[in-house]
Amino acid sequence: MQTAVLGSGSKGNSVYIEMEGVHMLVDAGIGVRRVMKSLKEIGVTPDMLSAVFLTHEHTDHIKGLGPLMRATQARVYTRPGTLSALPKKDELPDRLGVIHDTMKLGPLTVRAFSTLHDAADPVGYSFSAGQAKCTLATDLGFITSSVQAAIEGSDMLVLETNHDPGMLKRGSYPWPLKQRILGNRGHLANEDAAWALVHMRKRPEKIFLAHLSEENNRPELARETVERVLKEQGADSLSMDITVARQNDMDVWM
Ligand SMILES: [Zn+2]
Ligand SMILES: [Zn+2]
């Protein structure tokens, strides 16, 4: 099981996951050259990629999709609603598929779970094989009970810590944008991510805090908030390896 967050934040998102010899990407929001360069650094060549799963159609998750598809033979899977909402779909290679709730990919079970976010049909993904489970949950307006259930039991979790509400409210964003981010269909606050971790019965071995706002968050603040809330609630964070994923650099767990 390997994970590499190739880049995470409002300017572009893509996460590499390997399980049982299956190599995948979740989202294609960063340039193909950077994706290939990062993958090469961890020994992954374009021909090894078998699938790309898209969470939703916002630019920061799909803007590199066309070049990525042309540079690999990977099949692309997403919800039907997202597929319909993809821009310039006709120009993409004919390797687009649909995932409703679950599908098999070789030895893996892939599950798409709905999230509250202002897109056509947004999802997070979990990948499991036997007892092992990796989950990605970003672009969450709110942790619903089904998202909470979907992240449970993950060994590796990529979880959104988008903003600090105080920084956001004091910051320079226009009020409608502040409202969108703070709302139930926007992005997840640091503290809400921390509570999702508190509520897990089995906490992950590895967590990437992801999709941080460059304007309304700081990496240290995201980490401190998560660690503080876990401590206050008597939940042990010491057994968890926490990495705050960066926008412009790769963060690897293997
Ligand atoms: Zn989005
Ligand atoms: Zn996003």
Side-chain angles (χ1 to χ4, degrees):
M1 191 191 294
Q2 297 187 342
T3 304
V5 179
L6 307 181
S8 184
S10 52
K11 294 198 177 111
N13 296 276
S14 189
V15 176
Y16 162 80
I17 294 174
E18 178 277 329
M19 279 180 91
E20 301 285 322
V22 183
H23 305 266
M24 305 161 286
L25 289 178
V26 179
D27 288 328
I30 58 181
V32 68
R33 245 179 281 164
R34 207 179 115 201
V35 170
M36 292 311 167
K37 184 172 169 283
S38 300
L39 291 178
K40 195 177 169 197
E41 281 176 38
I42 53 170
V44 180
T45 52
D47 57 301
M48 288 160 75
L49 276 185
S50 49
V52 180
F53 292 90
L54 302 177
T55 58
H56 64 296
E57 74 280 12
H58 287 163
T59 315
D60 56 320
H61 297 261
I62 59 143
K63 65 171 178 271
L65 183 63
L68 179 70
M69 285 189 80
R70 287 186 280 274
T72 69
Q73 286 302 309
R75 290 193 67 81
V76 173
Y77 299 95
T78 191
R79 278 271 173 85
T82 303
L83 202 54
S84 309
L86 280 184
K88 297 185 187 163
K89 204 168 41 209
D90 308 343
E91 296 170 20
L92 295 172
D94 188 21
R95 281 180 265 122
L96 298 167
V98 155
I99 175 168
H100 292 279
D101 295 311
T102 59
M103 63 176 268
K104 293 291 278 181
L105 184 67
L108 308 182
T109 301
V110 184
R111 178 155 175 257
F113 54 90
S114 292
T115 62
L116 282 184
H117 184 59
D118 47 6
D121 196 357
V123 293
Y125 288 102
S126 67
F127 304 93
S128 6
Q131 293 300 308
K133 181 174 175 182
C134 289
T135 304
L136 177 137
T138 63
D139 300 74
L140 308 167
F142 177 72
I143 299 272
T144 59
S145 54
S146 62
V147 171
Q148 186 73 48
I151 66 174
E152 183 60 48
S154 304
D155 301 287
M156 188 290 296
L157 175 62
V158 179
L159 182 64
E160 177 171 36
T161 50
N162 178 258
H163 60 274
D164 176 77
M167 280 183 78
L168 177 67
K169 284 175 195 157
R170 288 189 302 273
S172 65
Y173 281 13
W175 178 239
L177 182 55
K178 288 183 182 180
Q179 271 183 313
R180 176 198 163 227
I181 296 168
L182 289 168
N184 279 351
R185 301 196 61 198
H187 286 286
L188 199 67
N190 295 338
E191 190 127 350
D192 294 335
W195 277 98
L197 295 171
V198 168
H199 289 139
M200 291 177 84
R201 290 188 296 276
K202 170 186 164 252
R203 269 175 282 280
E205 185 183 335
K206 177 72 196 181
I207 295 182
F208 290 94
L209 302 179
H211 214 306
L212 270 72
S213 165
E214 286 181 12
E215 181 132 354
N216 305 308
N217 210 350
R218 291 192 321 265
E220 324 79 76
L221 183 59
R223 177 191 290 276
E224 280 162 21
T225 304
V226 165
E227 289 177 346
R228 173 179 55 76
V229 172
L230 282 163
K231 196 166 171 223
E232 282 169 3
Q233 298 308 314
D236 175 23
S237 68
L238 298 175
S239 60
M240 283 189 295
D241 179 8
I242 301 176
T243 296
V244 184
R246 295 167 293 172
Q247 178 71 83
N248 295 318
D249 276 299
M250 173 167 68
D251 289 289
V252 181
W253 180 63
M254 44 182 63

